[in-house]
Amino acid sequence: MSRTAAAPAAPVSVPWEELVTSALLGTDRRPLAVAPRPGPDGAAAALLDAAAVHTVRRRAGLLPAPAAPRPAPAPADPRPVPPAAARSRLAQLLADRAGASGGGGRRGAAPDLTELIPQWLATANRHGYRAPDAVLPALLEAARARTDLRPGALTFAGPRGLWLAGLNPDWRFALRGASGSALLPEVTDREGVRRLWDEGLFAERIALLAAVRAHDAEAARALLDTTWSSERAEDRLMFIDSLRTGLSGADEEFLERALADRSRNVRATAAELLSALPSSALAGRMAVRALSCVSPGLTGTEPFVAVEAPHECDAEMQRDGVVALPPSGRGERSWWLGQLVESSPLSVWPGRFAGRGAREIVALPVADGWGEELHAAWCRAAVRQRDPAWARALLGAPSTPPSHGPGTASLAERSKLLAVLPAAERAEWVAGFIAAHGLSEAFQLLGVCPTPWAQPLGRSVVDALDIARDAGSYPWSFSGVMGLAERCLDPAEADRLEILTTTPDEPEDASPGANGYWSEAFQRLVSTLRLRAAMDEELTPDDGE
């Protein structure tokens, strides 16, 4: 058999790097000392031949690499797995998530299974179940895609899920809040804690600090103090923020030192945390400044609040966390005043106003147009100091329109005030707000109410939706509230809502087809509530399982 003449081999002296460079730049610009093949592309063909020969030589010269060590076995998790029906349900929910197209359009009457995953996880964790091994990859993928799933998913996944996450870079997020996981040393193991603190990755150190802080706040603060001066500014900010958990007067000395930090953001966070401690020295200094700006006044027999905002922001104020430069469109003096008031203990104001309580102080008229600024600062102080009495006073009656309320018209700020109140009181206030003002402004307020919604709140929401349907309103304007209702209404309400699934005649001024959409939305709501009830039943421990 005849053989085609082989192209001259590349001289061994031509390094591999030169072959790569010539291939990238072209043989015209970087020719090689290789005899070309015949033809117009002979130089390129000869380069490829040379590269092939070199590749064989390089591979032949490789030594077999030692096998990588096997990972340590997955840790044991003594918790039981859920009953069989619940396991099948979880697989269905996760499969629906993986197959979701993400497209918009009309949702139809079928429940949105992906939105039921958080409730399934919460119920499973409440019963103390662990994730079956086979479902761990899909569970971690779901948590990677949705940050709201992570706390529940990681609790359910347990130490075996965290072990698996450590083997896949895509799941490294799971190591950031892995308090008490098998990937962290026991918080009582001082040597192991110190070794990981000195040598670990940032995410591991954050998780470690959170775990130690939850177990022993003083030990966590001492651990942080050992490396504080050598940490990067962005890391110091994350570390000092972890002191919010279990914040107490014992942290004051450390936070006072942080007021002189090189980083402005670290200084601001330290000042904020100190102001949340009403007995701290910083809170006292802020109170002296605020009391010099806000005082009682009297017009005839009518008391009022007089305000004289600061005229400068001196170095001491800035050291205590007051930011000198206001945001665009904000006046300097009002900006400084707000920071002083929000950082002062709310307990100083009754003494300043002749023993009046929070409601009476908030009800006083404020001179010279300073009322909005002063009340907004008191709102921030009530949230920071978790003071229910001031939160109630600043919220006022739920029937009062937000624009005329005693505190702030911002629904975002009002939702923060609501979060300070006990759960039952919170739900009752929002129910009264919806009854008085409807649903158009209630979405943010509903988000802070505990689930499942208490009966008065749930019925208030449903009644408002029914009224909106009867009025011929656009149903898609209430899609956000309807989605919340699917997740937050008590499943026991399903039978009572059945009547709303019918399609009544449309009023003449209604949007065309609106009642069909409303009927479909209520069908989906009822179906979802019944599915949630079934999920709860499936997760109920079965002694015979």
Side-chain angles (χ1 to χ4, degrees):
M1 181 172 61
S2 63
R3 299 178 59 189
T4 304
V12 176
S13 59
V14 179
W16 173 260
E17 290 74 14
E18 288 190 23
L19 288 172
V20 173
T21 302
S22 183
L24 291 172
L25 297 179
T27 53
D28 292 339
R29 296 177 60 189
R30 185 62 66 89
L32 290 174
V34 178
R37 279 189 175 191
D41 297 324
L47 183 145
L48 294 175
D49 287 340
V53 171
H54 238 304
T55 298
V56 173
R57 288 173 180 162
R58 285 162 61 87
R59 290 178 177 173
L62 287 176
L63 293 175
R70 291 184 177 183
D77 189 340
R79 298 176 298 171
V81 295
R87 298 197 298 271
S88 298
R89 180 75 68 187
L90 177 60
Q92 179 189 16
L93 298 179
L94 292 173
D96 189 77
R97 186 208 69 81
S101 63
R106 192 162 176 166
R107 291 178 55 195
D112 186 347
L113 299 185
T114 62
E115 292 304 318
L116 296 177
I117 298 176
Q119 179 188 319
W120 194 99
L121 291 172
T123 307
N125 289 331
R126 192 163 59 247
H127 287 303
Y129 293 125
R130 71 169 175 88
D133 295 342
V135 84
L136 285 172
L139 185 65
L140 290 170
E141 273 300 300
R144 181 170 74 96
R146 285 181 54 177
T147 56
D148 63 310
L149 291 180
R150 291 180 184 179
L154 294 181
T155 299
F156 185 55
R160 296 177 76 84
L162 293 170
W163 171 86
L164 187 61
L167 303 176
N168 184 346
D170 288 344
W171 298 334
R172 297 291 289 181
F173 70 87
L175 305 183
R176 296 184 196 107
S179 296
S181 78
L183 300 180
L184 298 179
E186 291 292 333
V187 293
T188 54
D189 177 7
R190 294 186 178 183
E191 183 179 345
V193 166
R194 188 53 195 263
R195 185 185 309 111
L196 183 59
W197 179 251
D198 290 338
E199 303 173 4
L201 300 173
F202 176 68
E204 295 170 329
R205 298 178 75 212
I206 281 285
L208 176 67
L209 186 63
V212 176
R213 181 73 175 177
H215 174 74
D216 185 341
E218 184 176 350
R221 190 177 60 254
L223 183 67
L224 180 56
D225 209 8
T226 60
T227 59
W228 179 256
S229 60
S230 61
E231 302 286 359
R232 301 183 305 165
E234 55 268 35
D235 293 352
R236 293 199 305 277
L237 179 61
M238 293 291 290
F239 289 143
I240 198 171
D241 196 66
S242 71
L243 299 184
R244 294 181 191 276
T245 301
L247 181 67
S248 71
D251 299 313
E252 182 177 359
E253 181 184 351
F254 181 88
L255 293 171
E256 274 283 346
R257 285 190 278 119
L259 290 176
D261 195 86
R262 302 184 300 276
S263 166
R264 182 180 66 183
N265 290 333
V266 172
R267 295 195 302 270
T269 302
E272 179 190 345
L273 293 175
L274 283 168
S275 68
L277 296 170
S279 60
S280 69
L282 178 137
R285 296 192 295 269
M286 288 298 200
V288 171
R289 297 174 181 127
L291 290 171
S292 69
C293 298
V294 181
S295 59
L298 200 64
T299 303
T301 59
E302 296 298 323
F304 67 93
V305 180
V307 175
E308 181 64 31
H311 291 274
E312 64 173 342
C313 183
D314 58 33
E316 289 300 314
M317 288 170 61
Q318 293 183 52
R319 180 188 179 277
D320 283 345
V322 178
V323 179
L325 187 64
S328 177
R330 186 82 178 274
E332 284 185 336
R333 297 182 66 200
S334 64
W335 172 243
W336 299 333
L337 173 72
Q339 293 179 81
L340 295 182
V341 173
E342 73 182 64
S343 300
S344 301
L346 290 164
S347 57
V348 304
W349 298 111
R352 184 61 163 164
F353 288 93
R356 289 180 173 87
R359 289 187 187 276
E360 295 173 291
I361 295 172
V362 169
L364 292 174
V366 182
D368 302 323
W370 285 103
E372 183 177 347
E373 183 66 49
L374 181 61
H375 286 182
W378 275 335
C379 286
R380 295 192 293 274
V383 171
R384 186 178 298 182
Q385 297 171 38
R386 313 300 297 174
D387 191 308
W390 276 86
R392 292 185 192 100
L394 291 160
L395 281 167
S399 58
T400 304
S403 58
H404 296 87
T408 172
S410 165
L411 290 173
E413 294 293 334
R414 290 163 80 86
S415 66
K416 293 177 183 178
L417 287 171
L418 278 168
V420 177
L421 301 180
E425 184 179 354
R426 205 182 311 165
E428 183 181 358
W429 195 96
V430 176
F433 182 92
I434 293 171
H437 310 294
L439 289 168
S440 59
E441 295 182 314
F443 185 79
Q444 285 181 291
L445 305 181
L446 286 167
V448 299
C449 293
T451 57
W453 288 336
Q455 189 178 82
L457 176 58
R459 294 198 171 183
S460 181
V461 170
V462 172
D463 289 344
L465 288 169
D466 195 20
I467 290 170
R469 179 185 68 164
D470 291 343
S473 301
Y474 289 100
W476 40 91
S477 301
F478 299 91
S479 58
V481 176
M482 188 66 80
L484 272 179
E486 292 170 17
R487 299 189 296 275
C488 302
L489 268 177
D490 189 331
E493 296 286 311
D495 290 342
R496 192 179 70 86
L497 298 176
E498 186 72 47
I499 192 172
L500 299 178
T501 62
T502 59
T503 308
D505 295 333
E506 292 182 354
E508 293 183 1
D509 57 346
S511 305
N515 274 358
Y517 275 94
W518 276 112
S519 176
E520 194 174 78
F522 280 118
Q523 289 175 33
R524 183 172 61 251
L525 174 58
V526 171
S527 298
T528 302
L529 293 179
R530 287 178 173 154
L531 180 53
R532 286 174 52 204
M535 284 168 37
D536 287 344
E537 184 176 350
E538 291 164 355
L539 282 163
T540 301
D542 184 355
D543 295 337
E545 183 71 25

